[in-house]
Amino acid sequence: MNRADGLIQRRNILRENSEGVPKDTQNDEKKQEREDEQDDGDSKETRLTLMEEVLLLGLKDKEGYTSFWNDCISSGLRGCILIELGLRGRVELERAGMRRKGLLTRKLILKSDTPTGDVLLDEALKHLKETDPPETVQSWIEYLSGETWNPLKLRYQLKNVRERLAKNLVEKGVLTTEKQNFLLFDMTTHPLTDNVTKSRLVKKIQDAVLSKWVNDPQR
């Protein structure tokens, strides 16, 4: 009887290694080491936000500015800001419910007002926090881009978004800053300096779009 009690006791006690460290603690430490290694691997690549990636794709490599005919990137960047806030757990779409509401009619709900550390994201987050009742995604894209007929909503406009994102990319070593003369005025441009980062980004998009392509994507 005493022997059985001893077996039960030994099963309940945490196994320790020769140094007296519990096995569970060892597993936690190994898991943390693997996570640290992954973080170190990711840090070798330049980390870009969704807005920075879209701007980088829209910029001409040598000229360093977006096409003058591109009138969609402004709204696109504002949409990226909302998506980035969603990815970081700050906002979410309201539930579809029984009516099965479409994406354009569902409201954008604030989940957390904790700052993200990104100036643009925190500025948009502040506007979202101050707005009650909530607005739709389409409305917020209009407000943040300043393309709204409601004068009371003009204060929500995010200004100089492209320039601010370009400066972030300059700080990360992806772009550089130059001045170009366009007959009547000088314009600040941001030519590409890091071809590897943009090539990696283009390849990532190609893989995402063509991964389910039945034919050979390379063709």
Side-chain angles (χ1 to χ4, degrees):
M1 189 69 181
N2 292 335
R3 185 178 179 183
D5 291 340
L7 288 172
I8 293 172
Q9 273 189 335
R10 281 196 292 273
R11 288 194 186 112
N12 291 336
I13 295 174
L14 285 173
R15 294 181 179 178
E16 298 186 358
N17 62 4
S18 58
E19 297 178 356
V21 180
K23 189 176 180 181
D24 290 352
T25 305
Q26 280 185 302
N27 293 336
D28 291 341
E29 289 176 353
K30 289 180 180 178
K31 182 179 179 182
Q32 185 63 42
E33 286 176 2
R34 285 196 298 269
E35 291 176 354
D36 292 341
E37 287 175 0
Q38 290 177 354
D39 290 342
D40 291 341
D42 292 342
S43 63
K44 293 177 182 177
E45 299 180 2
T46 305
R47 294 186 180 183
L48 305 180
T49 63
L50 189 59
M51 304 88 72
E52 291 168 352
E53 289 181 340
V54 170
L55 179 64
L56 185 58
L57 290 171
L59 282 175
K60 296 182 178 181
D61 293 355
K62 295 181 179 179
E63 292 84 350
Y65 54 84
T66 57
S67 172
F68 293 119
W69 306 106
N70 189 343
D71 57 351
C72 299
I73 195 168
S74 178
S75 299
L77 291 174
R78 271 66 176 188
C80 289
I81 290 174
L82 299 179
I83 294 173
E84 189 78 29
L85 287 173
L87 293 174
R88 299 191 184 202
R90 301 306 193 274
V91 297
E92 66 179 356
L93 284 175
E94 68 174 337
R95 305 298 179 187
M98 298 296 291
R99 287 182 157 184
R100 295 286 180 185
K101 292 182 179 180
L103 288 175
L104 294 179
T105 58
R106 289 159 68 183
K107 308 291 186 180
L108 199 63
I109 308 298
L110 182 70
K111 287 179 63 179
S112 170
D113 60 354
T114 305
T116 63
D118 184 285
V119 178
L120 275 174
L121 294 179
D122 290 342
E123 191 174 336
L125 192 62
K126 179 184 176 184
H127 295 326
L128 284 160
K129 181 182 177 181
E130 294 173 351
T131 303
D132 189 39
E135 298 279 2
T136 62
V137 172
Q138 185 174 2
S139 297
W140 271 114
I141 291 176
E142 292 174 356
Y143 298 159
L144 297 177
S145 60
E147 298 176 358
T148 174
W149 294 100
N150 188 342
L152 299 178
K153 303 294 184 180
L154 289 175
R155 62 191 178 93
Y156 292 149
Q157 181 182 3
L158 298 180
K159 298 180 180 180
N160 303 319
V161 171
R162 290 186 224 186
E163 186 62 28
R164 290 157 76 178
L165 290 173
K167 286 182 178 179
N168 290 345
L169 290 170
V170 170
E171 291 176 359
K172 293 178 179 181
V174 180
L175 304 178
T176 186
T177 303
E178 293 181 357
K179 288 278 188 181
Q180 287 194 26
N181 181 268
F182 289 87
L183 297 178
L184 299 177
F185 60 94
D186 292 331
M187 187 174 80
T188 302
T189 60
H190 300 282
L192 182 69
T193 58
D194 187 355
N195 292 313
V196 176
T197 300
K198 185 164 186 178
S199 298
R200 190 184 297 122
L201 174 59
V202 171
K203 187 178 185 305
K204 183 170 71 173
I205 294 173
Q206 289 174 338
D207 292 342
V209 173
L210 302 175
S211 60
K212 296 183 180 179
W213 190 257
V214 293
N215 297 318
D216 183 9
Q218 301 300 326
R219 301 173 64 182

